[in-house]
Amino acid sequence: MEAEYAAGLGAAADWPLAALPPDWAAVLRPLIAASQLAALRARLVTEAQAGATIYPPAAEIFAALHHTRLAALRCVILGQDPYHGAGQAHGLAFSVRPGVKIPSSLRNIFTELRDDLGGPVPADGCLIPWAERGVLLLNTVLSVRAGEPNSHAGLGWEQFSDAVITAVKQHCPRAVFLLWGKPAERKAGLIDATRHLVIRSSHPSGLSARRTAAPFIGSRCFSRANGFLGERIF
């Protein structure tokens, strides 16, 4: 299993840049040290060698960057970490493939979308159409052990997601950042709020969506994003 997982990650010397689209690889290369990436890969392989099941599959970890190219990016939705149940995570934050039961956090996202913009709730939980319209569905941490939410916090992904956000700040002149939950909110200092719109709220999970001084439910984040951009991306 560990050999299969390591093979899915790719060769140690060029991971993960060789697994990324050329536009993302070029802007991320100067923003994160190769030694940090090597250490992160080694930690993932060590867990797999110890028998851990890790989500999403290695080949899908960077799916968000493949579905949303840098030149097309209009919005970043930033969450915590991937779903930790079997068959759920496929590399895009909050998304599940068609046919997979919609998790509570995504149900709340669809509820807010309906209440904010009108229209029906989507029939399935696949957010690839959003990604292809320029919505980067990113988590602060890009992997998780099965059944253990937030288990890969501190493993090294935070530096990678910092680099992605910095790249967006540098190369996208006008974008919206939807920061959902405390790990996402901690990234706010990386964003240039004079050029970009930053909307912070609680995480849309069942336990958090209506809590805190800035609850996700009622945030009207989707209409605010559309209004700032002057186009409908949601």
Side-chain angles (χ1 to χ4, degrees):
M1 179 64 73
E2 66 272 13
E4 180 181 342
Y5 190 82
L9 291 177
D14 59 12
W15 186 87
L17 297 174
L20 302 179
D23 54 347
W24 281 109
V27 299
L28 292 175
R29 192 179 303 276
L31 296 175
I32 185 167
S35 59
Q36 289 179 309
L37 297 173
L40 172 56
R41 184 184 185 279
R43 291 174 186 133
L44 293 170
V45 172
T46 296
E47 287 206 5
Q49 288 174 336
T53 297
I54 298 172
Y55 299 129
E60 295 181 333
I61 288 176
F62 303 106
L65 299 179
H66 284 274
H67 284 289
T68 304
R69 307 309 291 267
L70 186 61
L73 191 149
R74 299 291 180 269
C75 177
V76 178
I77 290 180
L78 191 62
Q80 177 177 289
D81 64 340
Y83 296 124
H84 55 88
Q88 292 181 309
H90 67 118
L92 284 75
F94 300 104
S95 180
V96 293
R97 293 190 183 281
V100 176
K101 182 180 178 181
I102 297 177
S104 63
S105 56
L106 188 52
R107 285 200 304 271
N108 284 332
I109 290 168
F110 286 163
T111 296
E112 180 63 20
L113 181 72
R114 179 199 63 199
D115 293 348
D116 189 10
L117 297 178
V121 169
D124 63 55
C126 184
L127 300 182
I128 288 176
W130 287 13
E132 293 176 343
R133 289 199 297 272
V135 181
L136 180 64
L137 296 158
L138 183 69
N139 281 308
T140 61
V141 172
L142 274 62
S143 64
V144 67
R145 285 195 299 274
E148 299 180 48
N150 215 25
S151 51
H152 280 180
L155 208 65
W157 282 121
E158 291 86 354
Q159 291 75 29
F160 183 83
S161 55
D162 281 356
V164 173
I165 292 167
T166 300
V168 173
K169 178 181 70 174
Q170 293 177 346
H171 296 277
C172 298
R174 188 173 175 84
V176 177
F177 289 82
L178 305 183
L179 309 183
W180 293 347
K182 292 188 182 301
E185 287 188 66
R186 287 195 284 268
K187 304 285 193 182
L190 298 171
I191 304 165
D192 182 358
T194 66
R195 295 189 299 120
H196 305 301
L197 176 64
V198 180
I199 302 176
R200 311 184 199 193
S201 74
S202 64
H203 194 275
S205 68
L207 295 175
S208 303
R210 291 177 172 82
R211 292 183 180 175
T212 78
F216 172 78
I217 296 296
S219 66
R220 301 190 66 83
C221 56
F222 300 110
S223 61
R224 292 163 68 187
N226 287 346
F228 177 81
L229 295 169
E231 61 181 307
R232 182 158 188 165
I233 59 170
F234 293 108

